[in-house]
Amino acid sequence: PTTGDVRIRRAIAHAIDRTKLIVVATHGAGIQVEGDQPENGWAYDRKIRPLSYDPREAQRLLDQAGWHTGAGGFRRKNGRPLEIGLAIAPQGINGSGIVATTVQRYLAVVGIDVAIKQYAPGLMWEPKAAGGILSNGRYQMAYNAWWTLGPDPDDTFNFACDQQPPQGENSYFWCNRTADSAMHDALRTVDVGRRARDYAIVQQQLMRDLPEITLWQLQVPDATRIQIRNFSPSPTGSTFWNASAWQL
């Protein structure tokens, strides 16, 4: 597929103004991050160079990949138009529509024609045997989300080579042996320093290959009456983890 070329994926990343997209799609509640680790987690690699909004670089990469601007401003290669489908499930992830149409407009500026394809949540996330869109790789781009449950940064479920469907949830079908080795090494030790170095390697390889482009990390607000004392929601778990300590 067209998005199998890392130059195309990198061009897409540079063509999207994530700062403005976060404002539009999350009303400013999102935090721009790189890679797959939460910004407030101990495994987040702050040395990673962010992917910048750079339409000119996006256009250069597309030219380099052999896609040149044609009639109507969209790109073609050997007579074939640069058309990319974007799979979304609006009933499963709120705001999917506005994210998709905003991304569509950004990519049109650099000559990529995006066709938005809507699916029911059941079909989008069905297992491989049931014909799921993601688990069968029946997409070129997809707007997806995942939650970090707990403070441990283990990301094998999402990116390990042996976790491609139907064995797991690596619906990116990404297998990077350097990252895979680091992920599994991190699970063989309780040494936080060693694990942090392993997860830094994973994040670096994700930024190199770009099997996914992280748009933002969402901040979820919690509201409570001011009379409640000892209310301290966990940043990586349940709001109610210390409910036994709450006092009025």
Side-chain angles (χ1 to χ4, degrees), residues 1-9 67 80-84 140:
T2 304
T3 50
D5 187 334
V6 69
R7 294 171 296 185
I8 303 298
R9 300 196 298 274
W67 295 94
R80 182 164 62 95
L82 181 49
E83 298 175 341
I84 297 178
Q140 292 174 293

Side-chain angles (χ1 to χ4, degrees), residues 52-160:
S52 61
Y53 171 53
D54 190 344
R56 288 187 178 181
E57 176 63 9
Q59 291 170 332
R60 186 191 70 80
L61 288 165
L62 293 170
D63 285 337
Q64 185 185 85
W67 295 94
H68 301 291
T69 305
F74 290 109
R75 292 173 179 267
R76 304 180 73 87
K77 182 177 183 179
N78 299 326
R80 182 164 62 95
L82 181 49
E83 298 175 341
I84 297 178
L86 172 54
I88 63 172
Q91 293 173 309
I93 302 177
N94 291 334
S96 292
I98 193 168
V99 171
T101 54
T102 304
V103 167
Q104 183 184 52
R105 288 196 297 271
Y106 279 130
L107 298 192
V109 170
V110 299
I112 301 175
D113 188 9
V114 174
I116 299 170
K117 301 180 180 182
Q118 294 191 30
Y119 296 97
L123 181 57
M124 185 79 152
W125 291 290
E126 281 278 20
K128 187 178 179 69
I133 297 299
L134 298 183
S135 59
N136 280 279
R138 289 165 45 200
Y139 68 94
Q140 292 174 293
M141 289 194 301
Y143 177 57
N144 198 7
W146 74 83
W147 295 96
T148 299
L149 299 177
D152 193 272
D154 175 26
D155 46 12
T156 51
F157 76 99
N158 232 2
F159 296 112

